[in-house]
Amino acid sequence: MDKDASVMDRPIIYAGAVPFDTDLLRLGRYAKEGLGRFAEMLVGSQTIMASGLICQMSDSDLSVTIGRGAIMAPDALDATHIGGISAGLDADFSITQVLFYSDAPQTLTIPLTGVDITVYAVCRVQDDTLDVLPFYNAGKPDQTMAGPDNRGKALPIRRTGRISFAAGVSAPSAAGAIIVPLYVMSIPAGIGTLSSIVPRQSGVFLPALPELATMSFAQQISQPQALCVASQILTIPEWARQVELRVIGGGGGGASSNALTPEVGSFSGGGGGAGGDCWGIYSVDPARNASLSVTVGQGGAAGQRGGPSFVTYDGTPFLTSDGGGSAYFAAAQMALGGDGGGTGGGTLWNQTGGGGSDGQNGTVVFAGNGANGPWGGGGKAGYLLGANATRYGAGGGGAYSTRVAGQAAAGGRGYQGLVIYRFLH
């Protein structure tokens, strides 16, 4: 293609100007590349896709007939010079989607039995349709020449992408051609016809674009949500373009008690706070990086904050939910509930977790229950032992009273965090 030319360029030809052969050749090249780039937008730059090419098995001998059809595959725009030797356009090795076709049924013989045979499409660009063209005679302008040298030499007048077929146990060798496996068939030894054989299509027979659009939509609305209850690396499917994530931090632990009565000290501990809760949808590119790193925060033990939950892609955090805070005694007779975990990065919501209940203020005693997570489960305040939380992100309950003065009665443990995910097209 000309220097600095693009796929949307068009030659400008003026009335009265002498047209060159390259003007028309550029028209064809621009059209080919424009269609190829458009096809890349629809199906991708590396996709090989077949349409038609129905395989019909013979009921009288060992032959198959491949019907009309087409194959689209990445190939050079023009692997060789096109046009006259002294003019024309140079080769252009830019890769784009190229269409190859077979406009009539073709029959080929199966060479062996007792083996698996593959039918291959052999796609190649060729110059054909020979014709003797009239050429301008500079010496006698009122006469034309039969061919460039007036000797009746025929020249090819069409460059086209054609498909032929081959069958065998291995791919054929064909320099410059694109070899595409179409069908595989298991041929029993000694059979005389193929009437009982069912060919198996290869993966190049993709659904048509309307079907792909329908499948994509159905996949987006039907892909089930999955849970990550432990830190791990998720593999992104090659079809995915987005991921939906909901991330919940671990619940905080309840405060412990070390007094027999409220009059003498730290009698009733507060409840742990709930982990944060955020939700969003994010873009991914599995061709560049197919790994999604998930960290799930653990629930905090008595007097400890819950761990954060977060998801990282390509070294960048998508969203984070902090763990709920632990309950604690700010003073000997002042038990405060844990604060809720904060969030960041959610595109649909960012919700701070609920705070745990206070346990004691002087000689006034409250029930130091743990904060509920998104599905409840906050641990209750408990005599001699705070209850553990029972649902994702919930806080543990505070303990009140002890068996012996100065002996600790442990607060309840917060429940671990959670990551919910779903890949979308």
Side-chain angles (χ1 to χ4, degrees):
M1 187 171 291
D2 295 344
K3 183 180 180 181
D4 300 326
S6 73
V7 297
M8 295 307 296
D9 290 345
R10 290 172 293 169
I12 299 176
I13 302 174
Y14 297 93
V18 177
F20 291 97
D21 61 326
T22 51
D23 295 330
L24 296 178
L25 291 172
R26 286 202 307 271
L27 281 174
R29 181 174 283 184
Y30 293 163
K32 180 179 180 179
E33 185 172 12
L35 290 172
R37 300 304 180 202
F38 180 65
E40 289 179 6
M41 296 171 61
L42 296 178
V43 300
S45 61
Q46 298 301 312
T47 300
I48 298 178
M49 187 174 183
S51 175
L53 305 177
I54 296 172
C55 183
Q56 183 175 350
M57 317 300 287
S58 173
D59 59 4
S60 61
D61 57 22
L62 297 179
S63 67
V64 297
T65 299
I66 308 298
R68 299 172 63 250
I71 290 175
M72 184 172 60
D75 194 22
L77 193 58
D78 272 312
T80 60
H81 179 98
I82 183 171
I85 296 175
S86 60
L89 297 177
D90 291 335
D92 187 328
F93 299 100
S94 303
I95 301 298
T96 188
Q97 286 286 356
V98 175
L99 192 66
F100 302 87
Y101 70 97
S102 173
D103 55 5
Q106 299 183 45
T107 299
L108 60 157
T109 300
I110 300 302
L112 298 170
T113 63
V115 293
D116 284 350
I117 294 292
T118 301
V119 174
Y120 296 92
V122 182
C123 306
R124 67 171 80 241
V125 174
Q126 62 189 44
D127 294 346
D128 60 17
T129 313
L130 297 178
D131 196 4
V132 178
L133 301 174
F135 274 70
Y136 177 73
N137 187 342
K140 297 180 179 180
D142 58 337
Q143 296 180 356
T144 57
M145 297 188 296
D149 53 5
N150 206 27
R151 296 182 181 180
K153 180 180 179 181
L155 298 172
I157 62 172
R158 179 178 66 172
R159 176 163 289 187
T160 183
R162 305 292 289 181
I163 305 174
S164 60
F165 303 96
V169 295
S170 60
S173 177
I178 298 172
I179 309 299
V180 180
L182 297 178
Y183 297 95
V184 177
M185 54 195 74
S186 298
I187 312 295
I191 64 171
T193 75
L194 301 178
S195 57
S196 63
I197 306 302
V198 178
R200 304 186 298 276
Q201 287 185 340
S202 74
V204 299
F205 289 94
L206 299 174
L209 289 178
E211 295 173 301
L212 282 173
T214 302
M215 289 169 61
S216 174
F217 176 72
Q219 199 167 46
Q220 290 188 49
I221 63 174
S222 64
Q223 175 82 3
Q225 291 182 327
L227 307 183
C228 280
V229 297
S231 300
Q232 59 187 282
I233 301 296
L234 297 177
T235 299
I236 304 171
E238 62 180 13
W239 53 262
R241 295 298 176 266
Q242 294 179 309
V243 60
E244 179 183 358
L245 297 164
R246 184 176 179 184
V247 173
I248 297 159
S256 301
S257 170
N258 60 12
L260 285 169
T261 66
E263 290 80 10
V264 296
S266 303
F267 170 76
S268 177
D277 179 1
C278 57
W279 184 18
I281 297 176
Y282 308 88
S283 297
V284 293
D285 181 3
R288 177 172 55 85
N289 187 345
S291 297
L292 198 66
S293 176
V294 173
T295 299
V296 176
Q298 296 299 305
Q304 295 183 356
R305 175 177 286 274
S309 297
F310 52 93
V311 178
T312 301
Y313 179 64
D314 219 17
T316 301
F318 275 156
L319 69 177
T320 300
S321 286
D322 294 328
S326 63
Y328 63 101
F329 280 90
Q333 291 182 297
M334 184 179 291
L336 301 181
D339 59 312
T343 61
T347 62
L348 297 177
W349 74 42
N350 288 282
Q351 298 189 42
T352 300
S357 298
D358 295 339
Q360 181 181 357
N361 186 0
T363 59
V364 178
V365 175
F366 304 95
N369 296 321
N372 285 326
W375 299 280
K380 292 183 178 181
Y383 174 62
L384 302 181
L385 182 66
N388 292 334
T390 57
R391 296 289 186 272
Y392 295 110
Y400 61 89
S401 191
T402 60
R403 296 185 183 276
V404 178
Q407 184 182 75
R413 186 181 187 93
Y415 205 82
Q416 71 168 73
L418 176 70
V419 172
I420 304 173
Y421 69 95
R422 176 171 65 163
F423 292 111
L424 306 173
H425 193 276

